[in-house]
Amino acid sequence: MLHRSRRFIPAMVLGAMGVSGAIALAADNATEDLRAQVNALTAKVEALEAKQLSNKDVDDTVKSILADADRRSQLLASEGFTAGYNNGKFLIQSADGNYVLQPMLHFQERYNASDRQDVKNDGDSSWSDGFEIRRLKFGFGGNAITPDLTYLFVWATNRGATGTFVTNADTNATASTGAGTLQLEDAWVRYKFAPEWTVQGGQVKDPWSHTNAVSSKRYLAADYSMLDQLLGDGQTFYVQGVALGWQTTPLRAQFVFHDGANSANTDFQDQKYDYGVTGRGEWQISGDNWSQYDQFTSLGNKSDLLIAGIGADYSTGDTQDILYHSVDLQWNPITIPGLSVYGAYIGQAVNNNTTTANAYNYGFMVQAGYLLTQRWEVFGRYDLTILDNKALAAGTVNDISEITTGVNYYIKGHAAKFTADVSYLPDGTGGQSASGMGVLPTSATENEAEVVLRLQFQLLL
């Protein structure tokens, strides 16, 4: 019995060891399974986190694109150029203001009617009316490199009044060869080299009179006067040359050396005149804002304005010398809000070098406007032109007077306005034509009255 017991004990020990090994192996296997499950869960968590991170990236990317699109709608380039509408003007400019480009458009559509007394007796119709595009101009201005270097380039559409008229033999229609063509008006660059001094070069409006300097955008009436037409060549003539300007608060002056009166769009060769010089000085007796002087109305005026001016243009050539000169006064009193008053004397001395038919023509003009509201304005104007008989054929009507009255309706200042006016010429035009302003010629020797009606809409951009 004892022997069998001794043999049984080792067997039990070996059995126990086997069981323990099996248990240990099972435990190891369970651990490996648990580790594998943990690893699998970890991988799933990392995948979920990666997916969440990816979604966040997408959201951030979308936000970045939207922000960039919004920024680019305001910026033209990374350098900081901006585009928009400021102070009634469209413009493109750099963030530092050194570069500015301002496009512009000037549009006037007009209904014009003229009734001339007794011209039917001369084989002409007494009544003429119709629509026309009186002015269509476009261009751009601004500054470059520095705010002190400014520029302006403007082209105007030829309305055909001064073109060559031809008749189509097939349709019997008459048209102007010049109608619709473009003509350069302003083309200049100006540099402010000192606080009070500027130098300017190019093609500019001759500044000898205030009426010539004020833009047709800012007239009281639909157009300039007969005085301006007859003695100032329409008061819109341009010259090519260089100008020196000086301006302080109370005083300013300008001197221009140019190719001669009406030398626009000519080359360097002598045209009608060899050369010309222009000088003008202005004294701001009351007020401190020169920009108010750029219009005849008191629209938008915030301070008193009283300015006296004097100017002259002398142009000389082989056949004639001519001296344009003017003295004028403008008053926009803040004590009488809405009132605007302007008066001018204009003279024209012509010296013919080939004949003895020298002449001195002169006249004056007064006008006034009154703002009933900030939209409605009434105005009146009277001008008289006296032509020298020595330069006219015998019996020619030489005293031409004009009475104009009308109303302005400002939809949005000068940018959108409607003008209606009536002009009465009691003695006619003495054979003179001013079709640009709607006045047709009457008899040169008879006092034939004329009435002109103008209805005009203006749009500025």
Side-chain angles (χ1 to χ4, degrees):
M1 290 293 293
L2 181 62
H3 176 71
R4 292 180 60 185
S5 301
R6 289 177 177 175
R7 293 178 59 188
F8 178 72
I9 292 173
M12 291 179 63
V13 172
L14 291 173
M17 293 176 61
V19 171
S20 298
I23 293 172
L25 180 60
D28 290 341
N29 290 336
T31 300
E32 289 297 327
D33 290 343
L34 183 60
R35 184 178 291 112
Q37 293 178 11
V38 170
N39 290 339
L41 290 173
T42 301
K44 290 181 178 181
V45 170
E46 290 176 349
L48 289 173
E49 290 178 346
K51 184 177 180 180
Q52 291 176 354
L53 180 61
S54 177
N55 289 339
K56 183 177 183 301
D57 288 341
V58 171
D59 291 341
D60 290 343
T61 302
V62 171
K63 291 178 181 179
S64 176
I65 292 173
L66 292 175
D68 184 68
D70 182 66
R71 181 179 64 84
R72 289 181 180 275
S73 68
Q74 302 296 324
L75 304 177
L76 297 182
S78 59
E79 289 82 1
F81 278 82
T82 62
Y85 187 81
N86 186 37
N87 293 328
K89 301 175 182 177
F90 290 99
L91 55 83
I92 302 169
Q93 73 172 33
S94 60
D96 58 12
N98 287 333
Y99 291 86
V100 175
L101 175 66
Q102 177 197 328
M104 60 189 67
L105 175 72
H106 179 192
F107 170 78
Q108 290 179 344
E109 183 182 15
R110 179 184 298 175
Y111 169 78
N112 210 114
S114 169
D115 185 29
R116 293 173 290 170
Q117 176 188 10
D118 294 335
V119 293
K120 57 189 176 186
N121 297 330
D122 302 325
D124 201 353
S125 173
S126 62
W127 175 266
S128 298
D129 74 312
F131 291 90
E132 69 176 20
I133 305 301
R134 174 62 179 103
R135 291 179 177 90
L136 178 57
K137 304 180 183 183
F138 62 88
F140 52 91
N143 57 265
I145 304 174
T146 167
D148 293 329
L149 185 64
T150 55
Y151 61 88
L152 178 64
F153 305 104
V154 176
W155 290 263
T157 304
N158 191 328
R159 37 183 289 279
T162 58
T164 302
F165 286 83
V166 295
T167 300
N168 187 313
D170 297 327
T171 62
N172 200 34
T174 302
S176 169
T177 59
T181 59
L182 293 180
Q183 181 175 338
L184 182 66
E185 285 195 344
D186 291 278
W188 54 259
V189 176
R190 179 169 55 209
Y191 180 60
K192 185 177 181 180
F193 62 91
E196 298 174 350
W197 292 90
T198 61
V199 61
Q200 181 179 11
Q203 182 165 294
V204 300
K205 260 189 174 184
D206 195 319
W208 67 274
S209 81
H210 183 48
T211 329
N212 194 46
V214 172
S215 170
S216 56
K217 306 171 185 176
R218 298 179 177 89
Y219 289 163
L220 275 182
D223 229 311
Y224 44 76
S225 67
M226 279 296 290
L227 173 67
D228 300 324
Q229 169 69 27
L230 298 176
L231 300 191
D233 293 329
Q235 286 295 104
T236 56
F237 68 71
Y238 290 78
V239 294
Q240 295 181 350
V242 293
L244 184 66
W246 172 76
Q247 177 174 310
T248 64
T249 298
L251 297 171
R252 71 178 182 182
Q254 190 171 14
F255 173 80
V256 189
F257 178 75
H258 54 82
D259 281 342
N262 287 300
S263 57
N265 301 314
T266 59
D267 60 21
F268 69 95
Q269 304 175 80
D270 289 342
Q271 304 295 323
K272 184 175 182 179
Y273 300 103
D274 297 331
Y275 67 89
V277 290
T278 299
R280 179 169 174 85
E282 294 164 343
W283 176 27
Q284 195 165 184
I285 303 170
S286 178
D288 57 2
N289 188 353
W290 284 108
S291 63
Q292 293 182 182
Y293 193 49
D294 294 337
Q295 61 179 8
F296 288 118
T297 175
S298 283
L299 186 70
N301 280 13
K302 294 180 172 55
S303 61
D304 196 53
L305 177 72
L306 179 62
I307 296 180
I310 182 171
D313 175 295
Y314 175 72
S315 297
T316 180
D318 294 335
T319 60
Q320 75 172 24
D321 305 328
I322 190 166
L323 174 66
Y324 298 94
H325 49 284
S326 71
V327 178
D328 46 72
L329 183 71
Q330 181 168 329
W331 182 43
N332 299 68
I334 197 65
T335 54
I336 311 176
L339 178 65
S340 58
V341 180
Y342 176 74
Y345 171 88
I346 291 178
Q348 181 196 75
V350 182
N351 179 38
N352 288 292
N353 298 324
T354 57
T355 69
T356 58
N358 299 331
Y360 184 75
N361 309 305
Y362 65 96
F364 64 88
M365 182 257 287
V366 291
Q367 72 177 16
Y370 184 73
L371 286 161
L372 303 174
T373 70
Q374 287 303 298
R375 290 187 180 273
W376 289 100
E377 180 180 43
V378 293
F379 60 84
R381 180 179 69 196
Y382 174 75
D383 60 278
L384 173 65
T385 307
I386 301 176
L387 303 177
D388 196 330
N389 283 324
K390 294 194 297 293
L392 301 174
T396 300
V397 175
N398 71 320
D399 294 353
I400 301 170
S401 57
E402 178 188 34
I403 303 169
T404 303
T405 184
V407 59
N408 284 313
Y409 178 69
Y410 296 99
I411 303 171
K412 186 67 176 178
H414 294 290
K417 74 175 180 180
F418 176 78
T419 301
D421 65 21
V422 177
S423 289
Y424 175 58
L425 292 85
D427 301 315
T429 69
Q432 306 290 336
S433 177
S435 62
M437 52 183 290
V439 178
L440 300 180
T442 62
S443 172
T445 57
E446 301 291 336
N447 292 329
E448 297 179 346
E450 180 175 1
V451 177
V452 177
L453 169 67
R454 294 175 296 214
L455 308 176
Q456 179 174 283
F457 173 74
Q458 173 174 284
L459 177 67
L460 307 177
L461 296 177

